Amino acid sequence: MNDKVFDIWQKKREQGFFAWLSKSTLGAFSFYLVFSVVFQYSSIKEQGIDVFLQSQLSNFVLFAALMLFANCVLWFYRESSFKKEARRRNIL
């Protein structure tokens, strides 16, 4: 882990697990929602946005759950890498 990545993760981990997890998951979900509407809604525009969102609800829920899981795994991986590097630098 280089110095820049180490410093960035040190700042992010100060937010805490749940704050980082919620921000990361919400950001990914928002990105998915916007681009899903932009790229897929045009194909069924005549039905309306409400019908489109209802038809995609299961996809949105599944994506949010998967992102929550992926971000949890990512947190623990980064935290493990951070702790190894901190021990190597004799910080912990």
Side-chain angles (χ1 to χ4, degrees), residues 28-58:
F29 178 75
S30 299
F31 181 82
Y32 178 72
L33 181 66
V34 167
F35 281 94
S36 177
V37 170
V38 168
F39 291 114
Q40 294 179 14
Y41 175 65
S42 61
S43 64
I44 60 166
K45 195 180 271 188
E46 358 12 273
Q47 295 176 359
I49 190 75
D50 294 336
V51 173
F52 172 74
L53 292 176
Q54 287 176 351
S55 69
Q56 296 294 312
L57 184 61
S58 62

Side-chain angles (χ1 to χ4, degrees), residues 2 4 51 84:
N2 64 33
K4 186 176 180 179
V51 173
K84 284 180 190 176

